[in-house]
Amino acid sequence: MAQEAWKRKELTVGQVAERSGVAVSALHYYEREGLIHSRRTAGNQRRYARHTLRRLAFIKVSQRVGIPLARIRTALESLPDERTPTTEDWARLSRGWRSELDSRIDQLMRLRDDLSGCIGCGCLSLNRCVLSNPRDELAQEGPGPRRLLAPGMECDGGGESQAC
């Protein structure tokens, strides 16, 4: 009789996709990017360790809060491949991102408040809009949406920085 799914030490790509809610194509992409790993059977089929499910949950949650894949990869590289990451492992990683997440929260709250004011006031006037940047006066402060960036955040233009 086939072993119960929860007892299996390794999972097929289809089983991982079903359990994690991540498409097979995304699993292949994550593997190419070094975020997860599999081994190949004699028949060249992928097999994933069960702890891959935790890594995928971490990837999904991290993406949901706006952490770029490059930062997620760096974080995952600090975790052991040979065992299931512990609560302490995850706590250490989340502590490392706390200040960045606090800055993102501040930025989102300012964006929400500014957009509510613009939409709520109904002025639709660039002369009175707090987000307007006439004649690109803010260019000297650096690239990106300067009025929407939280203090201390920068935009490198490539989409991998804290704010962009």
Side-chain angles (χ1 to χ4, degrees):
M1 181 173 187
Q3 190 179 28
E4 294 178 49
W6 65 270
K7 290 183 180 178
R8 291 188 188 116
K9 291 185 179 186
E10 292 186 319
L11 303 169
T12 66
V13 68
Q15 290 168 327
V16 171
E18 182 178 356
R19 280 285 291 118
S20 67
V22 174
V24 170
S25 59
L27 294 174
H28 293 169
Y29 174 75
Y30 290 160
E31 192 168 352
R32 278 192 310 274
E33 293 297 312
L35 298 165
I36 61 173
H37 307 282
S38 69
R39 75 168 186 87
R40 296 292 184 136
T41 67
N44 203 31
Q45 296 176 334
R46 287 179 168 91
R47 293 293 185 267
Y48 295 92
R50 287 197 63 79
H51 66 76
T52 302
L53 294 173
R54 280 199 184 172
R55 288 175 180 261
L56 289 167
F58 179 77
I59 292 167
K60 287 176 69 171
V61 169
S62 300
Q63 286 181 306
R64 177 85 180 191
V65 298
I67 304 295
L69 275 181
R71 300 268 326 268
I72 296 169
R73 179 186 313 104
T74 301
L76 290 173
E77 287 171 352
S78 74
L79 296 176
D81 279 333
E82 70 282 354
R83 69 167 169 80
T84 301
T86 65
T87 302
E88 292 79 23
D89 292 328
W90 298 130
R92 178 179 47 82
L93 293 177
S94 67
R95 276 192 309 272
W97 290 343
R98 186 172 184 88
S99 65
E100 180 178 343
L101 292 175
D102 287 343
S103 293
R104 286 181 186 270
I105 290 167
D106 178 57
Q107 180 182 5
L108 287 170
M109 288 176 20
R110 288 187 314 110
L111 176 61
R112 177 202 61 206
D113 295 344
D114 288 346
L115 288 179
S116 294
C118 284
I119 295 168
C121 77
C123 72
L124 301 177
S125 169
L126 291 179
N127 293 332
R128 294 178 13 193
C129 180
V130 297
L131 300 177
S132 177
N133 181 16
R135 295 175 301 284
D136 199 20
E137 294 166 352
L138 299 175
Q140 65 216 20
E141 293 181 23
R146 304 313 305 170
R147 290 207 169 112
L148 298 179
L149 297 176
M153 297 188 91
E154 291 302 321
C155 180
D156 68 3
E160 289 293 332
S161 72
Q162 291 179 328
C164 299

